Amino acid sequence: MEKKLIIEFLKRVELFKDLTDEQLNQIIDKVSLENFPAGKNIFTENNIRKNLFVILDGEAELYKKSPYGAERRLAIFGKFDFLGEGALLDDSPHSTSARTTVDSTILVLSREKFNELTKENNELAIKILGKIARVISRRMSSANTRVVNLAAQYQSGRTRKEHDLLGDRDVPEEFYYGIQTLRAIENFNISGVTLNFYPHLIEALAMVKLAAAKANYELGLLSKPTADAIVQACTEIMNGKLHTHFSVDMIQGGAGTSTNMNANEVIANRALEILGYQKGEYKYCHPNNHVNLSQSTNDAYPTSIKIALINANKKLVEVLKELISSFEHKAKEFSHIIKMGRTQLQDAVPMTLGQEFEAYAVTLKEEIQRLEQNAKLFLEVNMGATAIGTGINAHPQYSEKVIKHLREVTGLDIVLAENLVEATQDTGAFVMYSSAVKRLAVKLSKISNDLRLLSSGPRAGLNEINLPPMQPGSSIMPGKVNPVIPEVVNQIAFKVIGNDLTVTLAAEAGQLELNVFEPVIVQSLFESIEMLKNGMMTLKLKCIDGITANEKRCRDYVENSIGLVTALNPVLGYETSTQLAKEALETGKGIYELVLEKNLLSKEKLDELLKPENMINPNLVR
C-alpha cells in the first residue's frame, strides 16, 4: 500500500491526529501491514501485550471469557479504531481477547519498534504516549461504571492465604471478604446484580451481626475487645462503609450461606484491623467462631432480609406518596374541565377531568395501607433458631437477648416467632408482601394505559390531555412523540408481576425444615421495589407534573357525544332522550346541537346543566 494513503489514513486515527507528515513517515517506517482472516485472534486474554493494532480495513470484536469458557462480547472495533495501546507502555497481560469478525487488514506497531522510535525521536514518542494515556483513562472510567468491584481495578498484587473445608486459596490483600466469598463469586456469576446493589440489605446484615455480638457478650461467650471490635465494624457498615466488598451475586445456591459468609468475613477482617491485627488472622476474630456465634444462615439471613425489606418499604411508600400528591394537584387543576367518561371504551356519561385524576390518587392511596400492613409481617423473626429451629449451638437465653438488641439497633418492634421450627421454613410473609407490591404495579400499569389512551393522537386519537414531550418518537416519522414514560412504567409492572410469580413458585418449592430458594425471593422483591421506586419517581417528574389538558377538545367530546343524553334524561325525560339519541346517531349531529335546535332547553339552561359542579351532582339542578 502506498505511503501516501497510509499517511492520510493515520491522520484520522485518534493516536496520530495533529502529527506532521514527517512524523507520520517516521511511524510508517516502524509499522507492518498484516492480513487477518475472519475469526483469527489478534491477541488473547492473559498473554503479554506486545503490539498496538490499528484497523486499516475490516472489523474486530473485543471479548472476555468466563471461568467456564462462556464468551461475552464487550465491544466492536472498525476502521480507524485501535486496540492493545497499552503495549507501548508496558508488557502487562491482556485482560481481554480480540479477534477479527471479517477478513481484515491491520497496521501493527510492536513495542520493540516503538522503543526504536523513542530513541530516534523522543518528542514524537512522548506525544503518542500522552494520547495513549488519555485514551486509557477514558476507557478505564467507562469500565469502572460496569465492574462489580471497583477495587479490582487497583489491586496491588499482594495476597493472603486462607483455607476452608475445600483447601487453600490466595485472597487479594485489599479485599475484606475471605475465601468463602471468593468461592461464591466464582461459583455464582449469574445475574451480575450483587449484594452491594441494595444497601438496605447490607445494613440489615450488619444490624443482625451487631445485635448477635452484644447478646453473646452479655452471655459471656465473647470477650469485650472482640465484641467491641465486631460492633464497631458493624456500625461502620451500617454507616455506608465497606459496601463494595459485599460482592456475592444476589441469586445463589446454598439458601443464603454465601451472603451470610460474605458479611461474616467482611466484619471479621475489619474487626481484626480494629484490634490491631492483619486481615486473615482469624484466630483473633473468626468469621464463624466469633461473628457468626450462636447463629446459622437459616436465622441470620432471613432476619436480615426482613429488616431490609421493612426499611426498603418505607422508601417505596415515600415515593408513592409523592406520586399521589402529583395526581391530587392535577385533580384540583383540572376540576373545572368537563369531559366524557367512558366504559368499555364507549361513551358513558360526563365527568370532570379532575375526577379522573382524583380517582388515580385515591386508588394509589389505598396501596399505602396494603404495603405497610404486609410489611409488618416481617417483624416476626426466628433469631436463635439456628439450623432448623431447634436452637442447637445457641445459649438458652440468646434469643431473648438478641431480640432486645435488634429492637434497639433497628428501632423496630421486632418479636420472636412463637414456633422457631415453623418460622425457619415458612416464607408466607414474603408471598403476602410480594402480592401487595404486585397490586401496586397492576394499578400503576392501568393508570399508564389510561394516560396513553387519553393522550393518544394528536389528531387521530382522544387527545384530551398532553403528556410532556420527552424525546423524538420515531426514526422515520418526523414530528412523532411517544408516551415513553407511561410505556416504561407498563414494562416495570410486567417485571414486577413476573417477580411475584417467582416468589410464589420459590415459596411453594420449599422442602422439609428449610426453604433453600430464599435468595431468588429476596432478589425478586428488591428488584421490584427498586424498579417501582425509580418508575414512580420518573412518572411523577417526567410525566404527571407536566400534563396539560386540552379543555376545548374535552368539551367538544361532551357536546357531540350520545352519552350526554344520559345526563339530560332527568330533565328531558326518557322518551325525549331516546329520540334525541336515535336522531343523533342517524344524522351525526351532537346532542347539544339537537337540544338547542329543537328548543328543548335554552342555551343558558343547557350550559348550566353542563357546569362541572352540576355534572358531579346532577340531581341538584332540574
Side-chain angles (χ1 to χ4, degrees), residues 493-549:
F494 305 155
K495 282 286 289 179
V496 172
I497 293 166
N499 282 344
D500 177 65
L501 177 59
T502 299
V503 171
T504 304
L505 293 173
E508 182 275 334
Q511 296 168 322
L512 303 177
E513 279 66 58
L514 182 69
N515 188 314
V516 302
F517 303 116
E518 283 185 359
V520 78
I521 291 175
V522 178
Q523 188 274 336
S524 298
L525 286 172
F526 276 107
E527 181 183 55
S528 293
I529 290 170
E530 199 66 23
M531 287 192 301
L532 283 172
K533 280 196 310 185
N534 295 337
M536 288 193 295
M537 188 53 70
T538 299
L539 183 64
K540 169 190 161 55
L541 297 175
K542 295 184 179 293
C543 184
I544 307 305
D545 287 347
I547 289 176
T548 56

Side-chain angles (χ1 to χ4, degrees), residues 159-164 166-172 178-180 182-184 186-187:
T159 61
R160 63 178 187 272
K161 190 173 289 294
E162 293 194 16
H163 72 274
D164 62 5
L166 302 183
D168 295 339
R169 289 293 301 272
D170 290 328
V171 179
I179 184 170
Q180 291 201 42
L182 184 65
R183 292 193 194 280
E186 294 169 349
N187 290 337

Side-chain angles (χ1 to χ4, degrees), residues 301-595:
Y301 179 64
T303 298
S304 301
I305 293 165
K306 290 177 176 180
I307 293 169
L309 285 171
I310 290 171
N311 290 328
N313 183 70
K314 291 176 183 176
K315 296 294 184 183
L316 178 64
V317 169
E318 284 178 16
V319 176
L320 175 55
K321 286 179 178 177
E322 291 191 45
L323 178 60
I324 291 168
S325 177
S326 288
F327 277 116
E328 289 175 335
H329 176 76
K330 288 297 169 182
K332 291 177 182 176
E333 182 182 337
F334 300 150
S335 62
H336 67 288
I337 299 174
I338 193 167
K339 60 157 285 177
M340 280 305 298
R342 297 177 181 87
T343 58
Q344 296 158 283
L345 295 181
Q346 307 299 306
D347 294 356
V349 296
M351 65 185 301
T352 66
L353 189 59
Q355 285 178 304
E356 199 154 35
F357 276 76
E358 183 182 19
Y360 298 147
V362 172
T363 195
L364 291 177
K365 207 178 279 188
E366 292 173 354
E367 299 316 296
I368 296 174
Q369 183 181 356
R370 296 292 171 270
L371 288 167
E372 291 178 339
Q373 198 173 47
N374 285 0
K376 285 180 180 177
L377 297 172
F378 296 141
L379 292 170
E380 182 182 280
V381 302
N382 69 332
M383 285 299 286
T386 63
I388 64 170
T390 60
I392 190 170
N393 292 346
H395 191 284
Q397 298 174 23
Y398 170 75
S399 288
E400 176 188 345
K401 290 186 177 296
V402 77
I403 293 296
K404 179 190 73 172
H405 289 296
L406 263 181
R407 291 169 69 96
E408 290 174 357
V409 72
T410 63
L412 301 172
D413 294 327
I414 294 171
V415 297
L416 187 67
E418 186 176 333
N419 185 305
L420 296 184
V421 174
E422 183 277 337
T424 302
Q425 59 189 264
D426 177 45
T427 52
F430 300 121
V431 175
M432 289 292 289
Y433 181 72
S434 180
S435 70
V437 173
K438 179 185 74 172
R439 184 172 134 152
L440 170 60
V442 169
K443 288 191 173 185
L444 286 168
S445 193
K446 188 272 179 188
I447 291 169
S448 295
N449 293 339
D450 287 359
L451 294 175
R452 291 190 295 115
L453 276 172
L454 292 172
S455 65
S456 60
R459 299 290 173 84
L462 297 183
N463 194 32
E464 292 185 347
I465 62 173
N466 304 303
L467 304 185
M470 299 312 301
Q471 61 189 62
S474 174
S475 60
I476 189 174
M477 294 172 277
K480 192 169 187 288
V481 178
N482 295 329
V484 293
I485 305 303
E487 286 172 355
V488 80
V489 174
N490 282 132
Q491 292 173 78
I492 289 169
F494 305 155
K495 282 286 289 179
V496 172
I497 293 166
N499 282 344
D500 177 65
L501 177 59
T502 299
V503 171
T504 304
L505 293 173
E508 182 275 334
Q511 296 168 322
L512 303 177
E513 279 66 58
L514 182 69
N515 188 314
V516 302
F517 303 116
E518 283 185 359
V520 78
I521 291 175
V522 178
Q523 188 274 336
S524 298
L525 286 172
F526 276 107
E527 181 183 55
S528 293
I529 290 170
E530 199 66 23
M531 287 192 301
L532 283 172
K533 280 196 310 185
N534 295 337
M536 288 193 295
M537 188 53 70
T538 299
L539 183 64
K540 169 190 161 55
L541 297 175
K542 295 184 179 293
C543 184
I544 307 305
D545 287 347
I547 289 176
T548 56
N550 292 325
E551 187 170 349
K552 184 178 184 304
R553 179 85 161 187
C554 289
R555 185 165 185 97
D556 286 346
Y557 277 139
V558 172
E559 293 181 357
N560 292 314
S561 172
I562 306 300
L564 177 59
V565 77
T566 305
L568 300 178
N569 184 47
V571 178
L572 299 177
Y574 186 82
E575 292 298 330
T576 301
S577 297
T578 301
Q579 289 301 316
L580 282 172
K582 183 178 179 181
E583 186 174 345
L585 284 169
E586 290 173 351
T587 63
K589 293 181 179 180
I591 296 295
Y592 187 94
E593 180 184 356
L594 286 172
V595 168

